[in-house]
Amino acid sequence: MKELTVQIKDSHIKKIKAGSPLLEKDAIQNTKPLTEEGMVLKLVDSQGTFIGRGYYGRQNKGYGWVLSRNEREAIDPLFFLGRIHKAIENRAVFFESNDTTAFRVFNGEGDGIGGLTIDYYDGFYVMTWYSEGIYRFRNWVIEALETAPQFRGLYEKKRFDKKGTYMEDDDYVSGERGEFPLLVKENGLHFAIYLNDGPMVGVFLDQKEVRKKIRDNYSEGKIVLNTFSYTGAFSVAAALGGATKTTSVDLANRSLPKTIEQFSVNGIDYDAQDIKVMDVFQYFKYAKRKELSFDVVILDPPSFARSKKHTFSAQKDYTSLLQEAIQITEDDGVIVASTNCSTFGMKKFKGFIDQAFKKEGFSYKIEETFSLPDDFRTIKAFPEGNYLKVVIVKKVKG
Ligand code: SAH
């Protein structure tokens, strides 16, 4: 692996020295010598003084990541082994848990290596690569994982553009081949997981605390609407928590069989639940026409989505999404408002909630808020990494 000395602009020295792990394009004095993804970069200031070591890997976020601030530390197999094993140690409670067998083992820059995440599904590890640059270190990461606890097999997801199209294989890397669906547990909920079937495996692990909360505190005897429901994980949590009925709405055709499957692996009769393959915005119209209302409405849209009739951007349209939800929520009902959009923070998100209730003429009470769970480790120096914002808010009359 080549090491290239790269000068950081004066304007960016302070931020990087303060611990920011992201290497922004604008921080680099001269990007011309960056010719090969995966190059190891020795970062220096205008005096040539060492600041850190990182790698070149282009993502939408930037041009790479700082990996070490210790001049004597090389970026070699031992570096990857050390960071990964440290991350595993930090998840000891998860590895020891009997009722949770799926969680994040390594969370990118939060665990010291931006551009790479590793998830664990009952003995199967899944590496997700966010740039061609980090992918160049693949063999060292694989070596580190093959000695990881309870290792059965290894899979990978590539989240970067590869020039030219080639048939995506089943993402298998090494060890045992899984049999899918793989059944995992999360705080006693069960999920059917497919590691061999595209980028999404069946559940988003970052919502574990919210699912638990919905099941334990917000579902008993309630009528629940789950919008942008994907495989219905929130509906499963609500049904297990004693919801009278759940309605799951997602426009993807696959969401119907996938949701039936998640209910089934939890021993829930899916016939007693409603699963609608439908545009959420159409569903709101339908619900108003039929005068339907709900005790709990869950909103978990993607940051950006385009359907036939609608373009949704969390940044621009979350307030109006909330307004639609408020209109079909019972008085004293709750809305679980979630977003993974990293272009705004919790304060602004609460602002959207405030605006929506004001526009609809209702008061509200924020019951609780959530950000990423402990296994999705983040660092203070990079608040953008803590993208998840969930607010449980009660609609109050008048
Ligand atoms: N809440 C889910 C994750 C949502 S992922 C969970 O907890 O598992 C986002 C989902 O929104 C995708 O499944 C996508 O198909 C769906 N989606 C995007 N735009 C939509 C729209 N306009 N109406 C309905 N579903 C939509």
Side-chain angles (χ1 to χ4, degrees), residues 86-107 111 118-123 125 149-150 185-187 205-209 211-212 372-377:
K86 177 99 185 125
I88 287 171
E89 269 169 41
N90 283 332
R91 273 73 173 183
V93 283
F94 289 95
F95 279 104
E96 284 157 18
S97 166
N98 287 323
D99 63 359
T100 296
T101 58
F103 51 89
R104 178 149 292 188
V105 167
F106 195 93
N107 195 39
D111 283 295
I118 303 167
D119 294 321
Y120 177 89
Y121 300 92
D122 198 19
Y125 287 79
Q150 295 153 46
K185 288 187 281 183
E186 180 201 87
N187 297 314
L205 297 174
D206 55 2
Q207 295 279 12
K208 58 168 65 64
E209 290 175 350
R211 282 190 283 268
K212 186 171 188 300
L372 286 175
D374 287 346
D375 50 333
F376 283 68
R377 199 180 166 88

Side-chain angles (χ1 to χ4, degrees), residues 204 228-230 233-234 250-252 254 278-281 300 302 305 307:
F204 289 100
F228 307 94
S229 56
Y230 179 43
F234 285 127
D250 196 296
L251 57 65
R254 59 155 198 253
M278 198 171 182
D279 189 313
V280 164
F281 300 96
D300 184 28
S307 66

Side-chain angles (χ1 to χ4, degrees), residues 2-160:
K2 290 175 202 158
E3 177 166 296
L4 183 77
T5 299
V6 162
Q7 191 189 318
I8 298 299
K9 287 185 193 161
D10 288 346
S11 51
H12 285 75
I13 296 281
K14 213 173 137 192
K15 197 171 168 192
I16 292 180
K17 276 197 170 162
S20 178
L22 183 65
L23 206 50
E24 291 166 277
K25 179 183 182 201
D26 187 48
I28 301 165
Q29 188 70 41
N30 177 11
T31 57
K32 278 233 177 67
L34 300 174
T35 51
E36 213 185 308
E37 291 262 337
M39 281 174 145
V40 172
L41 310 178
K42 182 179 172 185
L43 312 174
V44 298
D45 66 14
S46 53
Q47 316 299 308
T49 308
F50 177 86
I51 298 169
R53 209 168 252 122
Y55 75 91
Y56 172 50
R58 278 163 80 158
Q59 283 178 238
N60 52 4
K61 289 178 180 169
Y63 261 43
W65 297 91
V66 181
L67 296 175
S68 173
R69 290 152 196 285
N70 174 354
E71 191 163 6
R72 287 186 304 262
E73 187 171 44
I75 306 307
D76 60 9
L78 207 62
F79 169 86
F80 280 85
L81 187 74
R83 291 292 193 277
I84 290 170
H85 279 204
K86 177 99 185 125
I88 287 171
E89 269 169 41
N90 283 332
R91 273 73 173 183
V93 283
F94 289 95
F95 279 104
E96 284 157 18
S97 166
N98 287 323
D99 63 359
T100 296
T101 58
F103 51 89
R104 178 149 292 188
V105 167
F106 195 93
N107 195 39
E109 72 287 346
D111 283 295
I113 306 174
L116 168 68
T117 63
I118 303 167
D119 294 321
Y120 177 89
Y121 300 92
D122 198 19
F124 290 92
Y125 287 79
V126 181
M127 309 173 286
T128 301
W129 309 98
Y130 287 87
S131 71
E132 210 174 325
I134 189 64
Y135 193 69
R136 299 284 172 96
F137 299 97
R138 183 174 182 263
N139 285 340
W140 298 347
V141 175
I142 293 173
E143 274 169 38
L145 284 174
E146 286 175 344
T147 58
Q150 295 153 46
F151 178 86
R152 286 167 71 193
L154 188 56
Y155 282 75
E156 71 183 344
K157 306 288 171 194
K158 291 181 212 141
R159 294 274 212 100
F160 55 91

Side-chain angles (χ1 to χ4, degrees), residues 311-328:
T311 301
F312 176 85
S313 137
Q315 171 102 29
K316 288 204 197 93
D317 305 319
Y318 212 110
T319 303
S320 56
L321 175 65
L322 279 157
Q323 285 179 258
E324 300 268 19
I326 292 165
Q327 291 168 18
I328 57 167

Side-chain angles (χ1 to χ4, degrees), residues 319-354:
T319 303
S320 56
L321 175 65
L322 279 157
Q323 285 179 258
E324 300 268 19
I326 292 165
Q327 291 168 18
I328 57 167
T329 301
E330 289 279 347
D331 290 343
D332 291 326
V334 300
I335 295 172
V336 179
S338 172
T339 180
N340 58 11
C341 187
S342 57
T343 59
F344 56 86
M346 185 58 107
K347 204 172 159 192
K348 192 154 179 187
F349 191 42
K350 284 184 175 168
F352 296 159
I353 293 170
D354 187 64

